[in-house]
């Protein structure tokens, strides 16, 4: 029975619709814009520009909001969000994992190759509004924003309406802004991180479509387990050191419930239960 289940395709791997390809085209415009803005800021105002002003403004908004936004940049939380859409858009599973690996490699290699100090390693602590741990090294680029860039790329790729694409970009912007508000990154770090994440997302989506990754039943189950792990981690661990862990727990619960309900229904479990119940109902009538 287990082997039969594992050999069953848990998701539909039909080809992309024209709407999917149209949505993907919007992604190619975003990284160049982010890179140009970052270069202009660095060339005209310096690497540390805008930080103190933005960080000071962040004090006017509750810390819990910025904590929530910055946790969206955690890979497990981003994957949990994608669980809400992954069943209807199965290419998100392989594309997200490929993009996450690529973004992580680029970010970590850059951080080690270009050791740039964070704001707390350059400025006096009394000048900063820090939320969470005080970090001093590994500023460039922002890993959280790169993860949010991957998330935004996936959401834009499945969008059908302009407001959906705008919403994905707003979420990316808030995650990047939160890294400045918590005192962890310079604004330029977040711009470059976002560009890296979206480029990785584009590559992940392209590889998934070109090589039809995730089309085999075993690979689908493996990918599903990765995503479910992210959802369970978000729900059961929920970052207890964070004030907003109840919000993250709720997100994990909703994402897991949504995905598992769709998955179990697709596998015919509900139909089987109804079929088993019919003879019993007929017997009780007799």
């Amino acid at each position: 029975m287990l082997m039969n289940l594992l050999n069953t395709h848990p998701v539909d791997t039909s080809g992309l619709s024209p709407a999917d390809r149209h949505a993907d085209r919007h992604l190619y415009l975003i990284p160049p814009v982010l890179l140009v803005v970052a270069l202009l800021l660095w060339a005209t105002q310096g690497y540390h520009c805008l930080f103190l002003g933005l960080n000071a403004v962040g004090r006017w908004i509750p810390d819990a909001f910025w904590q929530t936004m910055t946790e969206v940049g955690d890979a497990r939380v981003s994957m949990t969000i994608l669980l809400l859409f992954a069943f209807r858009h199965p290419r998100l599973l392989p594309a997200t994992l490929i993009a996450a690996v690529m973004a992580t490699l680029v970010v970590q290699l850059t951080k080690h190759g270009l050791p740039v100090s964070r704001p707390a390693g350059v400025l006096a602590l009394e000048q900063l509004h820090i939320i969470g741990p005080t970090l001093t090294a590994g500023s460039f680029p922002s890993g959280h924003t790169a993860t949010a860039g991957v998330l935004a790329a996936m959401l834009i790729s499945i969008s059908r309406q302009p407001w959906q694409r705008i919403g994905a970009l707003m979420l990316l912007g808030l995650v990047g802004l939160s890294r400045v508000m918590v005192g962890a990154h310079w604004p330029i770090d977040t711009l470059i991180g976002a560009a890296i994440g979206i480029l990785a997302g584009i590559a992940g989506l392209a590889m998934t479509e070109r090589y039809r990754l995730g089309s085999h039943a075993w690979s689908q189950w493996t990918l599903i387990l990765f995503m479910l792990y992210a959802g369970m981690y978000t729900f059961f661990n929920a970052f207890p050191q964070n004030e907003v862990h109840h919000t993250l727990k709720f997100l994990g619960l909703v994402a897991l419930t949504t995905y598992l309900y769709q998955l179990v229904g697709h596998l015919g479990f509900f139909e089987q239960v109804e079929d088993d119940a019919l003879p019993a109902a007929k017997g009780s009538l007799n």
Side-chain angles (χ1 to χ4, degrees), residues 41-237:
L41 287 175
W42 176 75
T44 59
Q45 301 185 49
Y47 182 71
H48 300 156
C49 67
L50 302 180
F51 173 81
L52 285 175
L54 290 173
N55 185 255
V57 171
R59 302 170 191 257
W60 300 349
I61 299 175
D63 289 356
F65 175 78
W66 297 122
Q67 285 181 309
T68 302
M69 289 298 100
T70 210
E71 294 298 358
V72 172
D74 183 282
R76 292 160 298 201
V77 176
S78 287
M79 288 186 179
T80 300
I81 293 173
L82 288 174
L83 266 182
L84 296 168
F85 312 96
F87 187 82
R88 292 186 60 189
H89 304 278
R91 68 176 182 146
L92 291 180
L93 297 174
T96 298
L97 289 178
I98 292 171
V101 170
M102 294 177 67
T104 299
L105 286 174
V106 173
V107 167
Q108 294 305 318
L109 288 173
T110 306
K111 281 181 180 288
H112 287 85
L114 298 171
V116 178
S117 297
R118 295 177 188 258
V122 175
L123 304 173
L125 293 182
E126 56 268 20
Q127 293 180 274
L128 309 177
H129 178 58
I130 295 178
I131 305 172
T134 301
L135 305 173
T136 59
S139 186
F140 182 83
S142 169
H144 279 69
T145 315
T147 300
V150 172
L151 173 62
M154 298 302 144
L155 293 177
I156 292 172
S157 75
I158 62 173
S159 64
R160 295 294 186 273
Q161 301 295 331
W163 68 265
Q164 295 171 333
R165 292 187 282 274
I166 292 172
L169 290 176
M170 288 179 63
L171 181 62
L172 171 58
L174 286 172
V175 173
L177 192 59
S178 75
R179 299 307 289 160
V180 178
M181 300 308 191
V182 303
H185 282 285
W186 310 102
I188 289 177
D189 298 338
T190 65
L191 291 170
I192 299 300
I196 291 172
I198 292 177
L199 286 171
I202 291 171
L205 290 164
M207 291 178 66
T208 297
E209 181 181 2
R210 179 176 179 82
Y211 300 107
R212 300 197 58 79
L213 301 177
S215 59
H216 191 277
W218 284 79
S219 65
Q220 289 179 7
W221 283 111
T222 302
L223 292 166
I224 287 171
L225 288 176
F226 272 108
M227 301 295 281
L228 290 178
Y229 158 75
M232 288 187 290
Y233 186 94
T234 301
F235 175 69
F236 288 107
N237 292 277

Side-chain angles (χ1 to χ4, degrees), residues 20-48:
D20 289 322
R21 296 188 177 90
H22 179 71
D24 284 353
R25 294 193 197 106
H26 293 84
L27 290 172
Y28 293 94
L29 302 175
I30 303 170
V33 173
L34 293 172
L35 293 172
V36 168
V37 171
L39 287 173
L40 286 175
L41 287 175
W42 176 75
T44 59
Q45 301 185 49
Y47 182 71
H48 300 156

